[in-house]
Amino acid sequence: MSNDPLRTAELTVIGQVTTASNVTLVCEAEQHGREPLRVVYKPVRGERPLWDFPDGTLAEREVASYLVSQALGWGVIPETVLREGPYGPGMVQRWVDTLEDGPELVDLVPVGQVPDGFREVLRALDPSGHRVSLVHATDPRLLRMAVLDVLINNADRKGGHVLCGVDGRVYGVDHGIALNTEPKLRTVLWGWAGEALPDELLTDITVLVKALPGELGTRLSELITDAEVRALEARGQELLQRPVMPVPSSQRPIPWPAF
């Protein structure tokens, strides 16, 4: 691990994601004899206080969400670590190179023009007053992301947090407001609501639930509270006992803005 540039190399800030709610910096980590590794760095000191999440905990929640994704074997979240950076401790995550002309897995289309292979989630008015539908693809990679969001109780799955990598994989980013003990699920991926989960995903959830009392739970308890670890296990158990994707149960089931 000591030679892993994601964890140990000095970070050089080369830019900032100005649209992010919290300070989000693009950095390069030096690699001897190779091109620098590009990463995203979110310092704890740049986190915006939230009324429903303890201050200074978003970086840890990002790392905990990554550990859950890895325990499931899904690789939905890019490698994410907690470490020191130019502005103090924070979350550091591998940068995802995306396809410039790749498919839009989450999109807005005119009402009545939902493409084949997509599902409508919401109808609304765009800024110009036109009626549009929020849609997402029925891609199995996206379904894994939707199930992960249920497990980690993700409160902010926007369309812009879904990335199509040049490696052919679909990644989810921005998991700072997740893993709360209270129901917080807000997502644009409601297209499978009420549908049965595939057996292969239930097998992976079983592996996760069985791992939580052991080393995985110990690692998570260093990042989130014991109550939050227990809530994660309870959500996993609930999906196994009733293997159906949940339906919206709050007044704000979709994050806004949706992208």
Side-chain angles (χ1 to χ4, degrees), residues 176-195:
I177 52 175
L179 294 162
N180 203 303
T181 57
E182 298 295 322
K184 297 284 184 183
L185 183 61
R186 289 194 294 271
T187 174
V188 296
L189 303 178
W190 283 113
W192 292 280
E195 295 188 9

Side-chain angles (χ1 to χ4, degrees), residues 114-141:
V114 178
D116 291 340
F118 280 71
R119 297 191 181 183
E120 184 180 58
V121 175
L122 173 75
R123 292 187 179 186
L125 298 177
D126 70 9
S128 301
H130 299 116
R131 297 176 67 234
V132 295
S133 295
L134 174 65
V135 300
H136 69 68
T138 55
D139 190 306
R141 299 169 300 177

Side-chain angles (χ1 to χ4, degrees), residues 203-227:
T203 298
D204 296 336
I205 295 170
T206 300
V207 172
L208 170 71
V209 170
K210 288 183 176 179
L212 283 171
E215 181 183 353
L216 175 62
T218 300
R219 295 180 68 189
L220 289 173
S221 66
E222 297 171 355
L223 300 163
I224 57 178
T225 67
D226 290 343

Side-chain angles (χ1 to χ4, degrees), residues 37-38 70 72 78 105 111 133 147-149 169 174 190-191 194 214 217 219 236 240:
L37 175 69
R38 182 162 293 188
Q70 290 301 103
L72 289 161
L105 297 181
V111 168
S133 295
V147 177
L148 175 65
D149 286 341
R169 297 168 63 181
D174 249 347
W190 283 113
R219 295 180 68 189
L240 293 176

Side-chain angles (χ1 to χ4, degrees), residues 151 179-182 226-236:
L151 289 166
L179 294 162
N180 203 303
T181 57
E182 298 295 322
D226 290 343
E228 288 166 340
V229 176
R230 290 194 297 270
L232 166 65
E233 183 176 2
R235 290 190 294 270

Side-chain angles (χ1 to χ4, degrees), residues 90-106:
M91 179 224 78
V92 176
Q93 185 175 79
R94 286 185 184 271
W95 179 268
V96 176
D97 289 318
T98 56
L99 296 168
E100 292 185 7
D101 299 317
E104 294 291 344
L105 297 181
V106 183

